[in-house]
Amino acid sequence: MKALKLIGPGKIQIQEVPVPEIGPDEVLIKVVGAGLCHSDLHILHQGQDWPFFGTTMGHETAGHIESLGTHVTDFAVGDPVLVHAVWACGQCRPCSVGRENACSVNGSRNQFPLTPGIGADGGMAEYIKARAKHVDRLGAVDVVTAAPLADAGLTPMHAIRSVRDLLLDDSTVVVIGIGGLGHIALQILRATSRCRIIAVDIDEARLAAARRNGADQVLHAGSDAVRTILAESDNYGVDVVLDFVGAQSTIDFATGVVAPEGAIRIVGLAGGSFPFNASLEGEVLPWGVNVQRSYGGTPADQAEVLALVAEQRVNVDVVKYPLAEAQRAFDDLEAGRISGRAILVP
Ligand code: NAD
Ligand code: ZN
Ligand code: ZN
């Protein structure tokens, strides 16, 4: 079969490899679509020490069950399925209390849990194998556009669920970065809250898309946007900021507009930082602000986002590329030419 391998820093290549052989608890899935995440670009730009060269890329995968391991009883050949992006053990203490994204067996204090496309072969291929427990049946959800739900749907859902107590009818939430994750975050917020939603991006087309996806107000990123948000809130700030970029400018933005006792969720990985000093004066953050470095999500988050898609309250905006043209898709993502999510189709 054809598979897209990460072969070295900045280098991907389609290779001919054997179809995976499955164990008793696994299923083989014929891939229909594999989402291309901005994290795949971060991975592509890791240095020579990156431990996962040789892996098939892709942590967002949807397809049909092709064959079942001998112990698998809850799927049938042909079922449309979504492969999880977080391959947790399901049994450790974090997993048993619903924190599978912090699994202590398949992940560690410094490493997120096992992920297809990073530590194991992923979905940018004709077939992928996965443990049956890491697969969800898609039911009413369209398999052709489902792949991004494994991460671009899951991760915003997790971040939003973690701030739900702050999303009151008169709250304001700022969403920064309206790409693959951000455009779904807007729709989840619209479908599950009545709060006021402000979308921020550097790209006018993304801001136009943000309005279609539920934003009440759109702002071009920059210091004017900070001033606007503060002026509109009597200089007090907003309840929640979701940062799907994580650059220095967006973290400055988030800390610059969040209100006391508000929350910041930093999802993007663009290398920004902020100083934290436990001091009475000169602190960047207002008192009481809760900041989380948000990772992936849990099966409960996945189920909630799948339900919203099945009810057509969330729709993924996709652009399809043949798997053979993966390099073009990566180049287009890097150049900011993809609106919504790119899906590679084998
Ligand atoms: P994307 O490329 O689809 O979208 C990024 C968006 O951010 C684009 O609309 C772009 O115009 C906008 N943007 C870029 N720079 C900006 C700036 N300075 N100010 C405002 N907007 C800006 O990316 P994506 O796939 O949605 O991923 C977003 C980020 O989240 C990436 O860093 C990715 O690696 C990360 N990510 C993290 C997790 C996690 O679990 N923490 C999971 C998935 C993705
Ligand atoms: Zn991702
Ligand atoms: Zn676990």
Side-chain angles (χ1 to χ4, degrees), residues 35-40 43 59-60 85 115 118 150-152 155 181 341:
L36 172 57
C37 179
H38 207 109
S39 298
D40 293 318
I43 293 166
H59 52 273
E60 296 184 336
T115 307
I118 302 180
D151 181 14
T155 300
L181 273 65
R341 196 55 138 192

Side-chain angles (χ1 to χ4, degrees), residues 184-206:
I184 298 179
L186 293 175
Q187 295 180 60
I188 294 171
L189 286 165
R190 191 74 294 154
T192 60
S193 81
R194 295 186 183 191
C195 59
R196 176 170 174 71
I197 306 170
I198 303 176
V200 177
D201 203 292
I202 46 173
D203 182 82
E204 288 304 327
R206 310 302 167 92

Side-chain angles (χ1 to χ4, degrees), residues 70-265:
T70 48
H71 295 171
V72 179
T73 52
D74 39 1
F75 289 99
V77 171
D79 280 350
V81 291
L82 180 69
V83 181
H84 294 181
V86 178
W87 285 3
C89 82
Q91 268 131 29
C92 67
R93 183 173 171 275
C95 281
S96 65
V97 295
R99 296 191 197 129
E100 290 86 347
N101 58 338
C103 175
S104 62
V105 172
N106 290 357
S108 68
R109 185 165 183 278
N110 302 313
Q111 177 64 41
F112 49 76
L114 182 65
T115 307
I118 302 180
D121 283 336
M124 293 181 181
E126 290 174 83
Y127 295 91
I128 181 175
K129 72 170 180 178
R131 303 283 290 267
K133 69 178 180 185
H134 296 142
V135 169
D136 277 331
R137 198 178 277 99
L138 277 170
V141 173
D142 170 35
V143 66
V144 177
T145 54
L149 300 174
D151 181 14
L154 174 86
T155 300
M157 178 58 92
H158 184 73
I160 291 166
R161 279 168 60 120
S162 79
V163 294
R164 228 163 228 179
D165 58 336
L166 290 172
L167 299 178
L168 309 177
D169 288 0
D170 60 354
S171 298
T172 300
V173 52
V174 172
V175 181
I176 309 175
I178 315 301
L181 273 65
H183 90 285
I184 298 179
L186 293 175
Q187 295 180 60
I188 294 171
L189 286 165
R190 191 74 294 154
T192 60
S193 81
R194 295 186 183 191
C195 59
R196 176 170 174 71
I197 306 170
I198 303 176
V200 177
D201 203 292
I202 46 173
D203 182 82
E204 288 304 327
R206 310 302 167 92
L207 292 175
R211 283 211 184 272
R212 292 196 298 279
N213 287 313
D216 297 297
Q217 185 178 357
V218 301
L219 293 171
H220 205 275
S223 50
D224 279 356
V226 174
R227 275 195 290 277
T228 303
I229 289 171
L230 290 178
E232 288 175 357
S233 61
D234 286 336
N235 217 31
Y236 192 71
V238 300
D239 303 276
V240 172
V241 185
L242 305 175
D243 182 354
F244 293 104
V245 181
Q248 190 57 52
S249 61
T250 61
I251 288 181
D252 290 346
F253 196 111
T255 56
V257 299
V258 70
E261 294 286 329
I264 298 175
R265 295 292 175 262

